[in-house]
């Protein structure tokens, strides 16, 4: 394959699902299949079942949530790269094991095709030093490689492309605030086509409150929980990643649609969950603005960002300090659109998540530049 023509099999393994698609050179998704469980020992069977009767493919692109320090950009997988990805697995323990299971199964089934690892961290790999550095002792950070990586990079890269088209400007000419709101949530500052700051850090647990993840919390409180209650690291990790966020505050659901309905019936816990979440998003977006000279647009992407107008409105309406206003319209489903009022000082846009075509694009670019 020369990196330009041919269909790409895209494998997007999450912590609780598995998405497979075949994308042609024009970014068209030819066929797709969603599994409601992550790939494991049965990954080969899932892929083989999907490929039966499907169009032929010439390469495979694999979403990797974490590339670690040694896979900073889309890379063809060989034995060495596979080992480096394994080393990064502990940095995203919910996401990397299923992704590696899918990668291994696809390489066994399709051994003659190139397989490209597309890290979600790649979009942020050129973060300025101040944005990637933790305020910890230098010896500690150097010894253990402690730094901020950032995530949702595939989503941000796609959102940047589509936003530039909507605004009829080159990506390199834009300074944008983009927020990816889904099961995981983050915000990003983009300047001159590059990520210059983002809310997630060394792992996908830092930053905004999320569906079941806490986001950033007081590190002193975590130490207190361990010393005063005897909570061990495994239990604490489970609480922070599986029992917190929207689910933890509401006590009923991690789905904003459920919470909006519950709030309308007077459910105070649901209302508090939504208010805490949207305040957290506003805080994150405002913090990202500190890394820009001005703001050319606020972009919402991710499942919540795309589908939940109540969340978008609460976020935008609370950012008047940045020149952003509410009164947003609701776009047609799955259509990128401007949703701010005509003549708004800062345009607000909604861009549906495009990780699948972005993975296919990055796979092609990687293979083209390799030759």
């Amino acid at each position: 394959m020369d990196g330009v023509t041919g269909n790409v099999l895209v494998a997007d393994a999450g912590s609780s699902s598995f998405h497979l698609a075949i994308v042609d050179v024009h970014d068209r998704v030819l066929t797709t299949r969603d599994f409601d469980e992550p790939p494991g020992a049965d990954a080969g069977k899932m892929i083989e079942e999907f490929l039966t009767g499907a169009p032929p493919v010439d390469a495979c692109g694999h979403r990797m949530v974490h590339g670690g320090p040694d896979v900073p950009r889309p890379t063809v997988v060989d034995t060495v790269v596979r080992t480096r990805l394994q080393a990064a697995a502990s940095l995203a323990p919910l996401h990397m094991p299923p992704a590696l299971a899918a990668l291994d199964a696809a390489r066994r089934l399709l051994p003659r095709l190139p397989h490209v690892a597309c890290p979600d961290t790649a979009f942020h790999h050129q973060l300025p030093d101040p944005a990637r550095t933790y305020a910890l002792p230098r010896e500690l950070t150097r010894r253990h490689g402690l730094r901020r990586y950032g995530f949702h990079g595939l989503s941000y890269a796609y959102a940047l492309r589509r936003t530039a088209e909507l605004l009829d400007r080159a990506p390199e000419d834009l300074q944008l605030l983009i927020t990816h709101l889904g099961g995981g949530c983050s915000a990003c500052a983009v300047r001159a086509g590059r990520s210059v700051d983002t809310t997630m850090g060394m792992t996908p647990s830092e930053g905004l409150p999320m569906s079941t993840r806490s986001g950033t919390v007081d590190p002193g409180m975590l130490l207190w929980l361990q010393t005063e209650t005897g909570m061990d690291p495994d239990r604490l990790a489970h609480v922070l990643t599986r029992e917190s966020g929207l689910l933890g505050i509401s006590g009923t659901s991690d789905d904003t649609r459920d919470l909006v309905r519950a709030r309308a019936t007077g459910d105070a816990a649901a209302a508090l969950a939504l208010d805490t979440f949207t305040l957290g998003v506003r805080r994150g977006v405002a913090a990202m603005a500190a890394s820009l000279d001005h703001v050319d647009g606020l972009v919402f992407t991710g499942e919540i960002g795309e589908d939940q107008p109540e969340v978008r409105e609460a976020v935008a309406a609370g950012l008047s300090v940045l020149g952003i206003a509410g009164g947003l319209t609701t776009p047609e489903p799955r259509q990128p659109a401007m949703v701010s009022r005509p003549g708004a000082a800062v345009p607000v846009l909604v861009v549906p998540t495009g990780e699948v075509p972005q993975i296919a694009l990055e796979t092609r670019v990687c293979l083209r530049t390799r030759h």
Side-chain angles (χ1 to χ4, degrees):
M1 179 180 175
D2 64 7
V4 179
T5 61
N7 297 330
V8 175
L9 169 64
V10 171
D12 183 353
S15 60
S16 59
S17 62
F18 188 26
H19 182 75
L20 291 165
I22 295 176
V23 183
D24 71 10
V25 71
H26 303 293
D27 271 359
R28 294 179 299 204
V29 177
L30 303 180
T31 184
T32 185
R33 174 77 183 273
D34 289 310
F35 295 91
D36 293 328
E37 58 182 340
D42 57 350
K45 181 180 179 182
M46 290 172 157
I47 297 171
E48 195 169 26
E49 179 182 318
F50 173 69
L51 290 176
T52 300
V57 296
D58 297 308
C60 304
H62 299 264
R63 179 186 177 220
M64 294 288 149
V65 164
H66 215 308
D70 298 318
V71 188
R73 57 183 59 84
T75 306
V76 175
V77 179
D78 56 17
T79 302
V80 173
V81 173
R82 176 62 179 79
T83 300
R84 291 173 176 171
L85 290 169
Q86 185 64 50
S90 64
L91 299 174
L94 297 180
H95 300 84
M96 287 298 285
L100 292 172
L103 172 64
D104 293 341
R107 292 179 73 201
R108 286 194 302 268
L109 284 171
L110 303 166
R112 296 184 179 181
L113 299 187
H115 293 258
V116 176
C118 299
D120 244 340
T121 49
F123 187 68
H124 309 287
H125 85 274
Q126 292 181 308
L127 277 175
D129 285 344
R132 73 169 63 189
T133 300
Y134 284 111
L136 294 170
R138 180 185 295 184
E139 180 185 354
L140 190 66
T141 57
R142 286 180 172 176
R143 183 190 313 147
H144 298 290
L146 307 181
R147 51 156 292 192
R148 304 181 73 250
Y149 286 94
F151 299 89
H152 294 137
L154 293 161
S155 177
Y156 287 135
Y158 180 82
L160 172 60
R161 283 200 290 139
R162 298 310 303 270
T163 298
E165 293 171 1
L166 284 169
L167 296 178
D168 194 25
R169 294 175 64 181
E172 296 76 17
D173 294 337
L174 291 170
Q175 297 198 39
L176 298 173
L177 297 168
I178 310 178
T179 184
H180 177 104
L181 305 179
C185 301
S186 67
C188 179
V190 176
R191 184 173 59 205
R194 291 172 47 186
S195 168
V196 293
D197 205 355
T198 189
T199 54
M200 281 183 168
M202 184 170 174
T203 76
S205 296
E206 187 180 352
L208 313 184
M210 310 179 209
S211 292
T212 65
R213 281 175 262 172
S214 65
T216 296
V217 293
D218 182 351
M221 180 181 65
L222 302 182
L223 295 173
W224 185 90
L225 284 171
Q226 291 183 300
T227 57
E228 296 296 322
T229 72
M231 189 178 291
D232 63 55
D234 287 343
R235 174 59 185 152
L236 186 56
H238 188 82
V239 169
L240 293 173
T241 59
R242 296 294 194 183
E243 299 178 5
S244 298
L246 290 168
L247 177 63
I249 300 172
S250 70
T252 54
S253 178
D254 65 349
D255 191 320
T256 55
R257 294 168 296 187
D258 295 337
L259 297 176
V260 167
R261 287 191 290 265
R263 180 177 62 184
T265 67
D267 187 325
L272 178 61
L274 288 167
D275 289 345
T276 303
F277 177 75
T278 54
L279 174 60
V281 176
R282 293 198 301 273
R283 283 173 171 165
V285 169
M288 294 301 97
S291 290
L292 300 179
D293 302 317
H294 61 271
V295 181
D296 292 317
L298 169 64
V299 184
F300 289 94
T301 189
E303 295 91 337
I304 297 173
E306 178 187 349
D307 295 333
Q308 199 70 62
E310 295 87 352
V311 168
R312 292 196 300 269
E313 181 65 26
V315 172
L319 289 173
S320 58
V321 68
L322 299 179
I324 298 168
L328 306 180
T329 60
T330 301
E332 294 294 323
R334 299 299 303 164
Q335 294 299 314
M338 190 105 61
V339 295
S340 48
R341 296 173 179 172
V346 177
V348 179
L349 305 97
V350 173
V351 176
T353 307
E355 289 158 321
V356 166
Q358 188 65 30
I359 292 168
L361 172 65
E362 295 191 6
T363 297
R364 292 192 177 90
V365 171
C366 174
L367 294 173
R368 182 172 66 241
T369 56
R370 183 179 65 156
H371 294 293

